[in-house]
Amino acid sequence: MLKELLLATQLASSPMGFDQAKTLADENEASLSKETKSRLLQAQGNALGSAMTTCGRPGMDLSAFSVVFSLNADGSVAESWRKGETPLAQCVHQAISAYGLAGQWPTPFYTSIELSFNKP
């Protein structure tokens, strides 16, 4: 019993990784009402548009990347995770972390942005 309690405490205090945060984001986004999902997509689009204006440069590596954000109630970013290490991925991650996702969100609220520039 004591071992189980210690293990649970260790897991609870372990830093969350990208995959766990992405799972939470997928679950959060799937549970949204149509109205809230529409507001989220608008906020993501605004933040991503601003980030791409700042970060986009001709000839950049356009490899796919994903960023997950844990938002505070006011849309500011509490925590974030990234999968992808290109300069564009790093810059977009930093820019959106600073910009946040404007709106009122339940807390904790996890959401993700995945970018791929490959043609279908």
Side-chain angles (χ1 to χ4, degrees):
M1 174 84 167
L2 182 58
K3 277 186 179 181
E4 292 169 350
L5 182 59
L6 289 173
L7 180 59
T9 302
Q10 285 177 327
L11 289 175
S13 64
S14 296
M16 186 182 310
F18 175 87
D19 291 335
Q20 187 178 5
K22 179 68 169 93
T23 297
L24 289 171
D26 291 346
E27 290 171 358
N28 279 181
E29 291 171 359
S31 71
L32 295 176
S33 68
K34 284 185 180 186
E35 180 183 319
T36 304
K37 188 165 197 146
S38 178
R39 285 189 289 124
L40 175 63
L41 290 173
Q42 181 68 39
Q44 287 178 331
N46 291 342
L48 186 56
S50 177
M52 291 302 289
T53 298
T54 300
C55 300
R57 303 285 180 267
M60 290 190 86
D61 181 347
L62 299 178
S63 298
F65 65 92
S66 301
V67 187
V68 178
F69 302 97
S70 171
L71 302 178
N72 296 311
D74 66 356
S76 61
V77 175
E79 290 184 82
S80 61
W81 301 262
R82 180 183 65 246
K83 188 173 191 177
E85 296 302 322
T86 65
L88 180 61
Q90 292 173 23
C91 183
V92 167
H93 179 192
Q94 182 179 15
I96 295 177
S97 291
Y99 185 81
L101 296 178
Q104 295 296 312
W105 312 106
T107 55
F109 185 75
Y110 293 83
T111 187
S112 66
I113 295 176
E114 300 176 61
L115 288 176
S116 174
F117 299 95
N118 297 331
K119 293 181 182 179

